[in-house]
Amino acid sequence: MAATSEIITQAQQWHNLSASKVAQNFSTNPETGLSSDEVVKRRERYGANELKGKSGTNPIIRFLLQFNQPLLYILLIAGAIKALIGQWVNAWVIWGVTLINAIIGFIQESKAESAIAALASSVQTNATILRNGQKVQVPSTELVPGDVVLLTSGDKVPADLRLVKSRNLQVNESALTGESVAIEKNTAPVEVDAVLAERANMAYAGSFVTFGTGKGIVVAIGEATETGRISQLIEQGTSLKTPLTRKFDKFSRTLLYIILGIAALTFAVGLGYGNSWAGMFEAAVAFAVSAIPEGLPAVVTVTLAIGVSRMARRHAIVRKLPAVETLGGATVICSDKTGTLTENQMTVQAIYAGGEQYTVTGTGYAPEGEILADEQPIDWQNLPVLAECLKAGLLCNDSHLEQKDGQWQVVGDPTEGALITAAHKIGLHRNDLDTQMPRIDVIPFESEFQYMATLHEDGTIYIKGSVEAILKRCQQMLDVRGNLASIDADTIHQEVDVMANLGLRVLALAKKSVSATQDTLDHADIEQDLVFLGFQGMIDPPRAEAIKAVEACQSAGIKVKMITGDHAVTARAIAQRMGFNQDSEVLAFTGSQLAQMEQSELATAIEDGSVFARVAPEQKLRLVEALQSKGEIVAMTGDGVNDAPALRQADIGIAMGGAGTEVAKEASDMILTDDNFASIEAAVEEGRTVYRNLLKAIAFILPVNGGESMTILISVLFARELPILSLQVLWLNMVNSIAMTVPLAFEPKSQRVMQQTPRSPREPLLSRSLVKRIVAISIFNWILIFGVFEWFKQTTGNIDLGRTMAIQALVAGRLFYLLSISQLGVFLINQLRGIRQTFSDASAIGIGIATTIVLQIIFSQWSLMNNLFATAPLNLNQWLICLLVALPMIIVAALVNRFDPLS
């Protein structure tokens, strides 16, 4: 604790000290960072760079809150009245059922909260730091005071830093200061009493780098930071409340008032017929508990939690639970191209330098292959402009290659990895060139400028970027012999189009010579007088699984649109290879074209277009808004800082877990851990499955409540003996319903799930067809209960036996109905028809059915249950009769499945 207090005390003064003084106080070197041994010592002293977890609700309070449901109030009050009139057995059974409901809810909620918390903790913020003189990436939790952190655009600041180097650095500190505009940073000391927003030499934990680069010394970690209240990436207190659960809460309150009103009417009508007060109270209580779907809230929570877990297994981490519901209704997916639709394994396949064309063999990042001219190997040493073009791609580069498990991988940008690999194929290596011409300064790539530039010790500036950005700054080029010549822009553009039509991404390269004494680099230095060296064309092949996923989405009525920073022709070629708009031509629009369109033209372009290239960040936002204005449910992928507004606006914002910046992740509803478009399609499948399973649960539970309610209400109105008592209703609604309904939450996806069009966002929870289904099954259940009870009461005179038979017949009918709406039932029917079909994950339904059968045997055959629930044991013939009279449910279920298919 002493160490932490020391940091907190000094934290207020770091901004007032010089950078060198801060480095001295922390015994660190801004150029090399800390040593590994020193890090171990400091971690023992200061602890981990993490915030204390948000303390959850006390388990006892969380358990008691399970009783805070409007529909359970009726049961608690009914139990209390039963106790007051001396019916203690009935009272304890009612209370026991509510207790069981609370325990189930408590356990499931705990599991769901734990699952979501586990998913949240699986996504951590990484930091790029200097350790032992090497640049490495480590989880932000491993930072210690004195560590030297490197910042670049898109990073989340991992701890409180005193800046020691700043290059056009701007940081958004709105979460801390409320200032919405990013703050320009520098390294100069400021007054000791400067307020937080004026400490321009500090970068605080939780803020975001929006522009430029910087370097800083960690001066505070964890709870000692200024933003100690900010969690790492995902709030630990994710709420299980969603629009759907709020609909259920509203539905429950409305149903409560209806039930109380009809129960009171039942009581009054019965008294009017001259029935006893006790008998009518029993009827009113029986009606109330029969109409309450006690198990439904627990089933909803379980279904959503299972959906989250299933999505996580398919590489989609849900940060906000409403995304589970919304995903199933997505009508448009706007996807980035690189790494999401494609492999992110860029390979240079063509080079244009000095007016000559070259082809490059080999794939991936392995330095295997060669450069050919007219299909013949070349001697690159006699081709200075080719060598210079490759050298520019190698040095104007912030990435490097490394070999892991026998595979070459790029650490950094895939495009830069391709440039490095191409240079390696003629024997050029950065370590050798860095010795000859060390880098002095750099302008990192920003989407606003579309280029990157490096300044080297010999006065050479190398620039790489988009063809448009580079060509307009070039007045000359090198010919094949390395001599200066006038630039031929028309020919260059023709060559670019040839490569782009082949699906190649084109990067232009240029150079400029300045004084060897120049030690800084600014945008003004490269605004003009560049010498064009050539360009390299590379391809990032589409993922095979993404091609299938695009086809599946289009078959499901979901439009897929590509939004990319690539050349329009390149993007269109990739889209064609992936099967975008198979029935018509792939239309592509550029950002500049969109900017010149009137509103009506823009609406048409967005509706008809499949590819949007060279799109500015604000145009991405306009694209999303325009699609939403047409009633589309939009899922949007993004990985950059500038994607955040569009991600936030989209109905489903999807960030890339690997390549995505922290800004994009914070703005998203869902994170793809593998950056793969196929995972979006898989998540849509799971979202649709979750919603379908919820509808199945509603369609299964409510008809039982309907049948029971109709039975009791009609019995009272016609002065008949109650076919089913309140305790027996509780058994059916709680124990029996939950045993059979919870397995529906585990139902696997239907084979037709991606063959159906997306549901309308305006579709009510209880659609007209679903209401018809509920009414039809409720009427059958009423006929079954009432008919069996009256039959056996009349023939045997044994009321307990009649009620037991009615309940067992109802449960048998429910088992047939459960099979009719489950995937297991569809599978069994297809097998009977001779249709070969594979099926997995039938265990949940099978366990539910087996559990139900065992419980119902106990319910009627065990003497203790006979005394508690007023049931009677059945013989084999009576069991068979219950089964036979329930068989018509198969026909009724088949009929309702025709107008409201749920499988």
Side-chain angles (χ1 to χ4, degrees):
M1 289 297 294
T4 302
S5 300
E6 176 188 349
I7 291 294
I8 293 174
T9 303
Q10 294 181 355
Q12 303 301 321
Q13 304 174 15
W14 299 124
H15 56 276
N16 183 240
L17 301 178
S18 67
S20 58
K21 184 66 174 176
V22 173
Q24 182 182 343
N25 284 355
F26 280 96
S27 302
T28 190
N29 185 335
E31 301 305 318
T32 60
L34 299 173
S35 67
S36 298
D37 292 339
E38 183 62 24
V39 169
V40 172
K41 295 177 184 176
R42 297 193 185 194
R43 188 170 296 128
E44 290 177 356
R45 181 181 179 188
Y46 298 114
N49 178 34
E50 59 187 4
L51 300 169
K52 293 178 181 177
K54 178 183 174 182
S55 59
T57 306
N58 185 287
I60 296 175
I61 299 299
R62 199 163 75 244
F63 176 72
L64 292 176
L65 287 174
Q66 302 303 315
F67 297 96
N68 187 26
Q69 299 180 35
L71 298 181
L72 292 186
Y73 298 159
I74 299 175
L75 298 182
L76 293 172
I77 294 170
I81 295 175
K82 286 280 188 181
L84 288 175
I85 62 178
Q87 297 182 10
W88 284 100
V89 173
N90 289 4
W92 281 115
V93 171
I94 292 175
W95 288 337
V97 169
T98 58
L99 180 64
I100 291 170
N101 182 78
I103 291 172
I104 292 172
F106 174 76
I107 292 172
Q108 293 301 335
E109 185 177 304
S110 298
K111 285 183 178 179
E113 296 273 7
S114 298
I116 293 169
L119 295 179
S121 63
S122 72
V123 183
Q124 292 188 345
T125 302
N126 287 331
T128 303
I129 64 172
L130 292 176
R131 287 258 175 96
N132 303 308
Q134 298 292 318
K135 184 169 74 171
V136 295
Q137 269 201 345
V138 298
S140 61
T141 53
E142 296 182 10
L143 293 182
V144 297
D147 261 328
V148 177
V149 177
L150 304 177
L151 300 175
T152 189
S153 179
D155 287 348
K156 181 178 182 180
V157 180
D160 283 2
L161 310 178
R162 171 59 166 90
L163 297 173
V164 296
K165 186 176 182 181
S166 173
R167 181 66 180 163
N168 299 324
L169 184 65
Q170 296 180 15
V171 179
N172 186 326
E173 298 176 341
S174 58
L176 191 61
T177 65
E179 177 62 55
S180 60
V181 178
I183 308 299
E184 293 189 10
K185 296 294 184 178
N186 57 55
T187 60
V190 297
E191 295 295 326
V192 68
D193 58 351
V195 296
L196 208 65
E198 296 176 359
R199 298 175 189 173
N201 57 12
M202 299 289 294
Y204 292 106
S207 55
F208 295 105
V209 179
T210 61
F211 194 84
T213 61
K215 182 192 293 185
I217 297 172
V218 175
V219 296
I221 62 172
E223 297 293 328
T225 63
E226 292 284 351
T227 51
R229 61 184 176 80
I230 298 176
S231 186
Q232 284 188 321
L233 177 61
I234 300 177
E235 291 286 348
Q236 295 180 1
T238 304
S239 173
L240 285 175
K241 285 291 181 184
T242 72
L244 189 62
T245 56
R246 284 192 286 271
K247 282 182 183 178
F248 274 115
D249 289 343
K250 184 178 180 180
F251 167 74
S252 298
R253 286 191 296 272
T254 303
L255 190 60
L256 170 64
Y257 301 137
I258 294 173
I259 290 171
L260 290 176
I262 298 178
L265 179 64
T266 302
F267 183 77
V269 169
L271 289 181
Y273 280 131
N275 293 316
S276 67
W277 183 91
M280 286 304 94
F281 178 73
E282 169 64 31
V285 170
F287 172 81
V289 297
S290 71
I292 299 172
E294 295 93 344
L296 198 53
V299 171
V300 173
T301 302
V302 172
T303 304
L304 289 174
I306 290 169
V308 170
S309 298
R310 281 180 171 176
M311 287 183 181
R313 287 197 294 271
R314 300 186 74 174
H315 309 291
I317 293 179
V318 175
R319 295 188 61 229
K320 301 169 186 175
L321 265 183
V324 179
E325 303 160 26
T326 314
L327 260 176
T331 59
V332 177
I333 299 176
C334 296
S335 176
D336 188 22
K337 177 178 72 68
T338 305
T340 307
L341 292 168
T342 59
E343 290 281 4
N344 211 6
Q345 288 263 331
M346 297 295 286
T347 304
V348 173
Q349 292 190 338
I351 300 174
Y352 178 82
E356 298 292 326
Q357 299 172 350
Y358 304 92
T359 57
V360 185
T361 64
T363 58
Y365 300 122
E368 300 168 356
E370 55 186 347
I371 299 177
L372 309 175
D374 297 325
E375 300 184 359
Q376 298 298 318
I378 55 99
D379 180 4
W380 66 272
Q381 293 180 335
N382 293 325
L383 297 168
V385 66
L386 173 63
E388 196 69 8
C389 182
L390 290 167
K391 186 189 296 184
L394 183 62
L395 292 178
C396 189
N397 199 310
D398 279 334
S399 302
H400 68 275
L401 301 177
E402 61 182 34
Q403 203 168 12
K404 287 185 178 179
D405 302 323
Q407 297 292 323
W408 284 93
Q409 298 178 357
V410 62
V411 179
D413 184 73
T415 299
E416 294 189 328
L419 296 174
I420 296 171
T421 303
H424 284 178
K425 290 176 181 178
I426 64 168
L428 292 177
H429 294 278
R430 183 185 294 167
N431 290 341
D432 300 332
L433 294 177
D434 280 342
T435 302
Q436 299 170 23
M437 43 193 311
R439 181 191 290 188
I440 302 300
D441 203 359
V442 61
I443 297 176
F445 180 86
E446 291 287 345
S447 58
E448 179 182 353
F449 296 102
Q450 294 288 318
Y451 63 72
M452 171 186 176
T454 56
L455 171 64
H456 299 269
E457 197 174 70
D458 65 348
T460 302
I461 299 174
Y462 285 119
I463 309 98
K464 77 168 188 295
S466 69
V467 175
E468 293 90 339
I470 302 300
L471 268 186
K472 69 181 182 181
R473 293 172 168 83
C474 295
Q475 281 71 48
Q476 293 179 304
M477 62 181 286
L478 293 181
D479 62 20
V480 69
R481 292 176 294 278
N483 300 320
L484 287 174
S486 298
I487 195 163
D488 186 354
D490 291 339
T491 300
I492 290 172
H493 279 298
Q494 288 175 9
E495 294 293 337
V496 169
D497 289 341
V498 169
M499 287 191 184
N501 283 327
L502 296 174
L504 299 181
R505 180 179 183 184
V506 180
L507 271 184
L509 298 120
K511 65 181 288 188
K512 182 179 180 178
S513 295
V514 295
S515 170
T517 60
Q518 182 171 328
D519 59 0
T520 61
L521 186 60
D522 203 289
H523 291 288
D525 295 324
I526 54 177
E527 196 57 37
Q528 58 185 0
D529 297 330
L530 302 186
V531 177
F532 183 73
L533 298 176
F535 49 80
Q536 300 186 37
M538 59 197 72
I539 189 168
D540 179 10
R543 296 176 184 258
E545 63 272 27
I547 294 174
K548 293 179 180 177
V550 168
E551 182 182 1
C553 286
Q554 293 180 155
S555 298
I558 301 171
K559 302 169 189 172
V560 182
K561 298 183 184 293
M562 180 193 295
I563 301 179
T564 178
D566 256 357
H567 195 280
V569 183
T570 304
R572 184 171 178 273
I574 292 291
Q576 286 177 322
R577 289 181 59 180
M578 298 195 69
F580 277 54
N581 279 18
Q582 289 180 334
D583 299 332
S584 58
E585 183 185 3
V586 174
L587 294 181
F589 297 94
T590 64
S592 59
Q593 289 174 324
L594 296 176
Q596 296 171 5
M597 291 180 181
E598 299 292 335
Q599 193 63 35
S600 58
E601 290 180 301
L602 178 65
T604 302
I606 291 172
E607 181 70 20
D608 297 339
S610 297
V611 175
F612 301 92
R614 293 286 195 252
V615 176
E618 61 272 14
Q619 288 177 320
K620 286 188 178 182
L621 182 59
R622 285 186 70 194
L623 284 169
V624 173
E625 291 173 337
L627 288 167
Q628 289 174 327
S629 70
K630 289 180 171 289
E632 306 282 8
I633 302 299
V634 182
M636 173 82 185
T637 72
D639 56 11
V641 176
N642 293 330
D643 293 328
L647 288 174
R648 207 170 275 119
Q649 176 65 31
D651 298 280
I652 308 290
I654 304 172
M656 303 297 108
T661 59
E662 300 307 319
V663 178
K665 292 175 185 176
E666 289 284 354
S668 69
D669 303 292
M670 190 173 82
I671 298 173
L672 299 184
T673 59
D674 61 351
D675 295 6
N676 192 337
F677 181 85
S679 297
I680 302 175
E681 186 266 339
V684 171
E685 283 185 9
E686 294 298 343
R688 288 186 171 195
T689 301
V690 164
Y691 191 80
R692 181 60 55 183
N693 288 349
L694 285 174
L695 291 185
K696 287 181 181 181
I698 295 169
F700 185 75
I701 288 180
L702 293 188
V704 176
N705 298 104
E708 293 165 349
S709 304
M710 290 170 64
T711 299
I712 293 168
L713 188 60
I714 292 173
S715 297
V716 172
L717 292 176
F718 288 94
R720 308 291 295 179
E721 196 82 42
L722 287 181
I724 187 167
L725 301 176
S726 59
L727 292 186
Q728 295 167 345
V729 169
L730 280 175
W731 172 271
L732 285 170
N733 288 4
M734 286 300 302
V735 181
N736 182 267
S737 279
I738 289 179
M740 292 207 281
T741 310
V742 167
L744 287 173
F746 292 87
E747 276 274 88
K749 67 178 182 180
S750 165
Q751 292 184 340
R752 297 168 52 242
V753 70
M754 292 302 283
Q755 298 171 8
Q756 300 163 346
T757 57
R759 71 176 187 272
S760 168
R762 292 176 290 278
E763 177 184 302
L765 187 62
L766 295 180
S767 64
R768 182 175 297 180
S769 60
L770 184 57
V771 170
K772 288 179 181 178
R773 168 187 283 274
I774 292 169
V775 171
I777 302 298
S778 295
I779 291 173
F780 179 83
N781 286 339
W782 164 66
I783 293 172
L784 196 60
I785 298 170
F786 207 87
V788 172
F789 171 72
E790 287 294 329
W791 176 19
F792 275 86
K793 188 186 78 166
Q794 298 294 336
T795 56
T796 66
N798 188 336
I799 294 177
D800 287 348
L801 178 62
R803 286 172 175 155
T804 306
M805 293 284 289
I807 291 169
Q808 300 295 24
L810 174 65
V811 171
R814 296 189 77 188
L815 289 174
F816 291 132
Y817 182 48
L818 177 65
L819 284 172
S820 77
I821 63 175
S822 70
Q823 292 298 309
L824 177 58
V826 174
F827 171 74
L828 293 174
I829 291 171
N830 286 337
Q831 292 301 302
L832 292 174
R833 290 176 176 174
I835 301 174
R836 294 299 173 190
Q837 175 187 348
T838 57
F839 182 74
S840 60
D841 201 15
S843 58
I845 293 292
I847 291 171
I849 291 173
T851 302
T852 298
I853 292 171
V854 170
L855 288 173
Q856 289 309 119
I857 291 173
I858 293 172
F859 178 72
S860 64
Q861 304 305 114
W862 189 17
S863 58
L864 176 63
M865 302 297 279
N866 297 153
N867 293 330
L868 280 176
F869 291 97
T871 57
L874 307 182
N875 59 39
L876 181 60
N877 288 336
Q878 290 165 340
W879 279 107
L880 289 175
I881 290 171
C882 292
L883 187 65
L884 288 173
V885 297
L887 285 175
M889 173 63 87
I890 298 174
I891 299 172
V892 175
L895 290 174
V896 296
N897 282 342
R898 289 182 68 86
F899 64 76
D900 182 41
L902 287 175
S903 299

